Amino acid sequence: MAQKPSIPKGTRDFTPVEMARRNYIFDTIREVFSLYGFRQIETPSLENLSTLMGKYGEEGDKLLFKILDSGDFLRGVDPALIEAGDCPRLAAQLCEKGLRYDLTVPFARFVVMHRQELQFPFKRYQIQPVWRADRPQKGRYREFYQCDADVIGSTSLVNEIELLGLIAEVMKRLKINVTIKLNNRKVLAGIAELIGEPDKIIDITVAIDKIDKIGLDKVNEELASKGIGDEAISRLTPIITIGGTTAQRLEQLGELLAASETGSKGVEELQTVLAGAMRMGLGEMVELDVSLARGLNYYTGTIIEVKARDVEIGSITGGGRYDNLTGVFGMPDVSGVGISFGADRIYDVLNALDLYPATITTATKILFLNLGEAEEVRSMEYLMAVRAAGIPAEIYPDRTKMKKQMNYANAMAAPYVGIVGESELAEGKLTLKNMSTGEQKVVTIEEAIKELA
Amino acid sequence: MAQKPSIPKGTRDFTPVEMARRNYIFDTIREVFSLYGFRQIETPSLENLSTLMGKYGEEGDKLLFKILDSGDFLRGVDPALIEAGDCPRLAAQLCEKGLRYDLTVPFARFVVMHRQELQFPFKRYQIQPVWRADRPQKGRYREFYQCDADVIGSTSLVNEIELLGLIAEVMKRLKINVTIKLNNRKVLAGIAELIGEPDKIIDITVAIDKIDKIGLDKVNEELASKGIGDEAISRLTPIITIGGTTAQRLEQLGELLAASETGSKGVEELQTVLAGAMRMGLGEMVELDVSLARGLNYYTGTIIEVKARDVEIGSITGGGRYDNLTGVFGMPDVSGVGISFGADRIYDVLNALDLYPATITTATKILFLNLGEAEEVRSMEYLMAVRAAGIPAEIYPDRTKMKKQMNYANAMAAPYVGIVGESELAEGKLTLKNMSTGEQKVVTIEEAIKELA
């Protein structure tokens, strides 16, 4: 009996038109990665669960897609776990492998396994899908692409500046107006230190992160509710309400944090990175955002987040510096800095603003009609000549009614149709029809190729 | 405690050099697919197991990677199955989704789900990984890429001819000498009919398939052991030992199969396809192979198999015509013809014969050294100018010893190194060092870009 097919929720098919658009995004990112000297790697979709588990927190462990072992997967499984219905621990016995959850952990694993072959600093990029057993919702998928670039084995801030240039170049090519928000983990640490609550940095930054949404009063309420004293809160206020240009705000921040060695270091790093960005002409695009607090458990220096200016959507790119990428795999002290382009959100932005160039098309340049046996043979000769000139071309395979073939040409958005009928056959020519103007003329194949090229 | 990381057996990491080589293959195939008017689609890695199960035979079902359901996967599981240790049936209750096993079944599912949006004939290509829980061995992986092109909704043999042209173009661009072997399922059916054993077609073709390896006598022995009578075997002998050119052999085959309507139809189809291939100049490459019997349960007309001439390796591309792609999903009578490039075997062939063009490289064109603070600033200006000209370039991020930086340039195989030291800084120039000749000269950035371009 025939079954009505479907696909798992949170996953998508991509039609030719969607693929052309996605390829435009991926190709643009890939080209800029390469222009900036990053080298591509790929890792397997399947990783050992021992590599993945415990790297994304307890919540992350639950969101890993786990692969049921092949064959007799019940062998060696503890019956007590089945009895108790202990699914998490049972899963660990039933499954040895899981699907990649992000590109960072596999990259860390890659670096450790290939350390002898790699030259440091190692600049790698990686564009591959990742999988998360998240609750699917608008704009959130269970299978989606990440596009990551990282430089590891170098502490130089030149890398941060280079990554800002790279982001700006990608966004310029995609015609997306963006703001690149910058912060530094050390500044946040300095703030926590200064107000005498170094242990509460997470609470503080989570609250600061909300300032744009809920305002200062509510942030202060939230800080108080976390047990942060009035004095600390009042010391915090001038910091999170600094005004002026990015350069001015950085200067004030430097003064406010002068007593904190870590905080001062953070301000200094930000100043270096900003100066580099200014020299690259990115001054208008880059701004300091002290409330930026992403990836706090992970980042140790620069924090980067990119927002599209003309669409309401979350961050479309983000990244930062980390100090211990590979420690968990036995290779300590590997510092690096990386960014990740959110291809799916960028796709949504380009769709929302209709930013695709007109040249993106799935269509061949010319479709030859198929009007009879001898005509087909001649058309296929012409077809090969057109392709030999590097021009995508096809022939309608069946000798059906001309109207049906023209409908196909229209549906495929073919810019030209080539027609070889009886008279063209006799003349050694073809009729070349321009599908947008409707104009048609009888030409030699050489003339046709000249027009198509 | 740090863990020593590993990857699941049968999977691979790809380093930058390997990626550059693989991209060369994929890009070549993609470009030719596009030149021939095929349009790209992608489907999710995860499919519902109901889509996948039963499509690849009992053995295939076992080789599917199944995803353990999230959350409380024991709910609703029949305890008797656990008791009995019935892993196959238990897997079906524990898992709703599985990883794509090939590109054909997902494509069929795609066509049925998107039938309203698609224009037929639909020419699609798809380049994605597939997963099989096979026993890993040399050249066989658990995760590998397939590169498929299919035309569906057209019975015209123009499609077969086009696919032969496409294969030849890909192999020409990759510089692989190939033989394209052709057969037709109807010819095989005609043979079985003619010798009076229409039910034994599988046995017959399996035996015929071995003729190159074990010779006629052993094939006949095998046929006899399958219960095929002496008379049938003696009628078969002239067919499988036909000599001469492909055209001659086809003519003889036509005579021998004249009594079989199906067989004659098969010969006629082969003659049409061969005539088309000859017109495209592929006569030397294409040959009839009556022992070719791949995908018998699936193919209904043309059968195609491509062998590399200069390397001992299995078929590197294959395909054929089928008549019922989507029937199992409730959409009958969809005829099509397709081919699949074996990217991993093609990779092995190119490696074995060292066929990669010298222009394939992972390196940037120029690495700027980093010799001091002011020098770094100037070098980064030059760097941006070089990139603005579309030339991949990078700067060594750290201000370390020059020797270390030159070692890096060598390891990266950078063709040029750009040096801005004190004197270059004063002169407003840079030293451009050609790393293969060792030659170095002091030039302006404009002169450098001219040389690099």
Side-chain angles (χ1 to χ4, degrees):
Chain A
M1 205 191 65
Q3 49 182 202
K4 194 168 150 41
S6 63
I7 53 175
K9 58 182 177 175
T11 70
R12 293 165 288 176
D13 283 326
F14 296 105
T15 62
V17 171
E18 291 164 335
M19 280 309 298
R21 294 175 162 201
R22 289 170 65 81
N23 283 339
Y24 165 66
I25 296 169
F26 289 128
D27 289 347
T28 301
I29 294 173
R30 209 185 331 257
E31 229 171 74
V32 178
F33 280 165
S34 185
L35 192 64
Y36 274 72
F38 288 82
R39 290 160 180 84
Q40 190 175 14
I41 69 160
E42 281 189 5
T43 61
S45 306
L46 305 174
E47 292 277 355
N48 291 322
L49 278 177
S50 57
T51 300
L52 302 177
M53 295 286 282
K55 308 303 189 297
Y56 308 103
E58 210 175 306
E59 197 49 35
D61 282 353
K62 282 189 205 151
L63 299 184
L64 290 171
F65 280 115
K66 302 172 186 77
I67 310 277
L68 187 67
D69 289 347
S70 300
D72 181 10
F73 52 78
L74 285 176
R75 191 169 46 194
V77 167
D78 181 356
L81 293 179
I82 299 177
E83 194 67 32
D86 185 347
C87 285
R89 289 177 63 199
L90 200 51
Q93 297 198 353
L94 292 170
C95 303
E96 204 176 55
K97 295 174 287 291
L99 287 174
R100 181 169 56 218
Y101 178 90
D102 71 359
L103 302 181
T104 303
V105 169
F107 174 49
R109 196 249 331 124
F110 177 97
V111 169
V112 174
M113 282 179 70
H114 297 269
R115 60 208 287 183
Q116 301 305 337
E117 309 150 50
L118 298 179
Q119 195 71 26
F120 295 95
F122 180 48
K123 295 169 71 174
R124 88 86 166 78
Y125 81 85
Q126 188 168 358
I127 300 180
Q128 292 194 275
V130 301
W131 295 267
R132 295 181 187 180
D134 240 325
R135 186 181 302 276
Q137 48 182 265
K138 190 174 157 18
R140 192 194 287 169
Y141 303 100
R142 293 184 146 190
E143 174 175 35
F144 59 97
Y145 270 79
Q146 291 191 337
C147 310
D148 285 17
D150 291 79
V151 190
I152 59 160
S154 164
T155 55
S156 166
L157 294 171
V158 164
N159 300 302
E160 271 87 338
I161 298 167
E162 284 273 275
L163 287 174
L164 294 183
L166 190 160
I167 291 170
E169 181 69 26
V170 166
M171 296 305 166
K172 191 181 107 189
R173 291 184 182 207
L174 294 176
K175 300 187 176 51
I176 304 178
N177 290 317
V178 294
T179 300
I180 304 178
K181 296 185 173 186
L182 272 192
N183 200 4
N184 191 300
R185 175 64 156 83
K186 297 190 181 83
V187 166
L188 295 173
I191 292 170
E193 199 182 301
L194 186 77
I195 64 172
E197 299 277 10
D199 298 340
K200 294 248 159 82
I201 181 155
I202 302 284
D203 291 335
I204 292 170
T205 51
V206 166
I208 293 179
D209 196 25
K210 295 183 184 170
I211 192 152
D212 282 347
K213 281 179 217 143
I214 63 175
L216 181 63
D217 289 349
K218 289 239 190 280
V219 163
N220 285 348
E221 269 173 41
E222 186 165 326
L223 289 167
S225 78
K226 298 285 181 186
I228 294 170
D230 285 350
E231 198 194 323
I233 289 175
S234 63
R235 275 199 211 155
L236 196 57
T237 301
I239 292 173
I240 63 180
T241 55
I242 287 176
T245 65
T246 285
Q248 289 163 344
R249 288 157 65 213
L250 259 184
E251 207 186 317
Q252 292 173 61
L253 195 61
E255 287 160 17
L256 289 164
L257 293 181
S260 159
E261 194 183 329
T262 305
S264 300
K265 183 88 175 73
V267 171
E268 195 191 301
E269 288 185 8
L270 278 169
Q271 280 169 328
T272 303
V273 172
L274 273 162
M278 306 282 269
R279 286 195 304 271
M280 287 195 293
L282 310 182
E284 192 272 327
M285 199 180 287
V286 176
E287 70 179 38
L288 173 68
D289 181 351
V290 191
S291 77
L292 183 63
R294 57 179 288 141
L296 265 196
N297 297 315
Y298 183 61
Y299 293 132
T300 53
T302 305
I303 304 175
I304 301 168
E305 190 167 281
V306 182
K307 303 273 284 183
R309 290 184 183 173
D310 306 323
V311 189
E312 270 305 324
I313 199 165
S315 98
I316 58 176
T317 295
R321 178 170 287 278
Y322 41 84
D323 268 347
N324 194 8
L325 178 72
T326 51
V328 68
F329 297 121
M331 186 177 168
D333 301 326
V334 173
S335 180
V337 55
I339 51 166
S340 184
F341 288 91
D344 288 284
R345 283 207 179 144
I346 290 174
Y347 180 73
D348 290 344
V349 170
L350 295 197
N351 281 337
L353 302 176
D354 194 16
L355 292 179
Y356 295 102
T359 51
I360 289 189
T361 167
T362 63
T364 48
K365 201 74 188 272
I366 179 166
L367 174 85
F368 284 90
L369 302 190
N370 192 335
L371 301 176
E373 197 172 340
E375 290 86 347
E376 174 187 295
V377 168
R378 178 66 54 80
S379 293
M380 288 183 77
E381 278 171 34
Y382 289 163
L383 181 62
M384 295 304 286
V386 172
R387 286 182 185 147
I391 300 162
E394 56 186 311
I395 181 169
Y396 194 90
D398 303 275
R399 292 178 209 142
T400 54
K401 284 189 201 120
M402 187 150 166
K403 186 169 177 340
K404 188 171 177 189
Q405 298 188 37
M406 287 302 288
N407 285 346
Y408 178 84
N410 275 317
M412 292 291 106
Y416 288 90
V417 165
I419 306 166
V420 179
E422 227 171 295
S423 66
E424 289 92 345
L425 193 62
E427 279 183 86
K429 296 193 168 178
L430 71 151
T431 295
L432 185 68
K433 177 168 178 144
N434 181 320
M435 295 294 280
S436 53
T437 65
E439 186 205 1
Q440 58 181 60
K441 50 190 177 190
V442 179
V443 294
T444 64
I445 184 62
E446 292 78 16
E447 290 164 343
I449 290 172
K450 205 171 284 176
E451 172 139 0
L452 294 168
Chain B
M1 204 192 66
Q3 50 181 201
K4 196 170 147 42
S6 62
I7 53 175
K9 58 184 177 175
T11 69
R12 293 166 288 174
D13 283 327
F14 295 106
T15 63
V17 171
E18 290 163 337
M19 280 308 298
R21 293 176 163 200
R22 290 171 65 82
N23 283 339
Y24 165 66
I25 295 170
F26 289 128
D27 290 346
T28 301
I29 293 173
R30 207 181 337 253
E31 228 171 75
V32 177
F33 280 166
S34 184
L35 192 64
Y36 274 73
F38 287 83
R39 289 161 180 83
Q40 190 176 14
I41 70 162
E42 281 188 4
T43 62
S45 305
L46 304 174
E47 293 277 354
N48 290 322
L49 277 176
S50 57
T51 299
L52 302 177
M53 295 286 283
K55 309 301 189 297
Y56 308 104
E58 208 175 306
E59 196 48 36
D61 283 351
K62 282 189 204 150
L63 299 184
L64 289 171
F65 279 114
K66 301 174 187 75
I67 310 278
L68 187 67
D69 289 346
S70 299
D72 182 10
F73 52 78
L74 284 176
R75 190 168 50 193
V77 167
D78 181 357
L81 292 179
I82 299 176
E83 193 67 32
D86 186 346
C87 285
R89 289 176 62 199
L90 200 52
Q93 298 197 353
L94 292 170
C95 304
E96 205 175 54
K97 296 175 285 296
L99 288 173
R100 183 170 55 220
Y101 180 89
D102 70 0
L103 302 180
T104 304
V105 169
F107 175 49
R109 197 251 327 126
F110 177 97
V111 169
V112 173
M113 284 180 68
H114 297 268
R115 60 208 290 183
Q116 302 304 339
E117 310 149 50
L118 298 179
Q119 195 68 28
F120 295 95
F122 180 48
K123 295 168 73 174
R124 90 84 168 79
Y125 80 85
Q126 189 170 357
I127 300 181
Q128 292 192 275
V130 301
W131 294 267
R132 297 181 184 180
D134 239 327
R135 183 182 302 277
Q137 48 182 263
K138 192 177 158 13
R140 192 194 286 172
Y141 302 99
R142 293 183 147 191
E143 173 175 36
F144 59 97
Y145 270 81
Q146 292 192 335
C147 311
D148 285 18
D150 291 79
V151 190
I152 59 159
S154 165
T155 55
S156 166
L157 295 171
V158 164
N159 299 303
E160 271 88 338
I161 297 167
E162 285 272 276
L163 287 174
L164 295 183
L166 190 160
I167 292 170
E169 182 67 27
V170 166
M171 296 305 167
K172 191 180 106 188
R173 291 183 182 208
L174 294 176
K175 299 189 175 54
I176 305 177
N177 290 317
V178 294
T179 300
I180 304 178
K181 295 185 174 187
L182 272 193
N183 199 5
N184 192 300
R185 175 64 154 80
K186 297 189 181 84
V187 165
L188 294 173
I191 292 170
E193 198 184 298
L194 186 79
I195 64 172
E197 299 277 9
D199 299 339
K200 294 247 159 80
I201 180 158
I202 302 284
D203 290 336
I204 292 169
T205 50
V206 165
I208 292 178
D209 196 26
K210 296 184 182 167
I211 192 155
D212 281 349
K213 283 180 216 139
I214 62 174
L216 183 63
D217 289 349
K218 289 243 192 281
V219 163
N220 285 347
E221 267 173 43
E222 186 165 323
L223 289 167
S225 79
K226 298 286 180 185
I228 294 169
D230 285 352
E231 200 192 320
I233 289 175
S234 64
R235 276 201 209 152
L236 196 58
T237 301
I239 292 172
I240 62 179
T241 55
I242 286 175
T245 66
T246 284
Q248 288 164 346
R249 286 156 67 213
L250 258 184
E251 205 186 318
Q252 291 173 61
L253 194 61
E255 286 161 18
L256 289 164
L257 293 180
S260 158
E261 196 183 326
T262 306
S264 299
K265 182 87 174 78
V267 171
E268 197 190 300
E269 288 183 10
L270 279 170
Q271 280 168 330
T272 303
V273 172
L274 273 163
M278 307 281 269
R279 286 196 303 270
M280 286 196 293
L282 311 181
E284 191 272 330
M285 199 180 286
V286 176
E287 71 179 36
L288 172 69
D289 182 352
V290 192
S291 78
L292 182 62
R294 58 179 287 143
L296 265 195
N297 298 314
Y298 183 60
Y299 293 132
T300 53
T302 306
I303 304 173
I304 300 167
E305 190 167 281
V306 182
K307 304 273 283 184
R309 288 184 182 172
D310 306 324
V311 187
E312 270 306 324
I313 199 165
S315 99
I316 57 176
T317 295
R321 177 170 286 279
Y322 42 84
D323 270 345
N324 194 9
L325 178 71
T326 53
V328 68
F329 298 121
M331 187 177 167
D333 302 327
V334 173
S335 180
V337 55
I339 52 168
S340 184
F341 287 91
D344 288 285
R345 282 206 181 146
I346 289 173
Y347 180 73
D348 289 343
V349 170
L350 295 196
N351 281 337
L353 301 176
D354 195 14
L355 293 180
Y356 296 101
T359 51
I360 291 188
T361 168
T362 63
T364 49
K365 202 73 188 274
I366 179 167
L367 175 85
F368 284 90
L369 302 190
N370 192 335
L371 302 176
E373 198 172 337
E375 291 86 347
E376 176 188 293
V377 168
R378 178 66 54 80
S379 292
M380 286 183 80
E381 278 170 34
Y382 290 164
L383 181 61
M384 295 305 285
V386 171
R387 285 181 185 147
I391 299 163
E394 57 187 309
I395 180 168
Y396 194 88
D398 303 276
R399 294 179 207 139
T400 54
K401 284 190 200 123
M402 184 149 168
K403 188 170 177 332
K404 189 171 175 189
Q405 298 189 36
M406 288 301 288
N407 285 345
Y408 179 83
N410 275 318
M412 293 290 107
Y416 287 89
V417 165
I419 306 165
V420 179
E422 228 171 291
S423 66
E424 289 92 347
L425 193 62
E427 279 184 85
K429 296 194 168 178
L430 69 151
T431 295
L432 185 68
K433 177 169 177 145
N434 181 319
M435 294 294 279
S436 53
T437 66
E439 187 205 358
Q440 59 182 58
K441 51 191 176 191
V442 179
V443 294
T444 65
I445 185 61
E446 291 77 18
E447 290 164 342
I449 290 172
K450 204 170 284 175
E451 171 139 0
L452 293 168

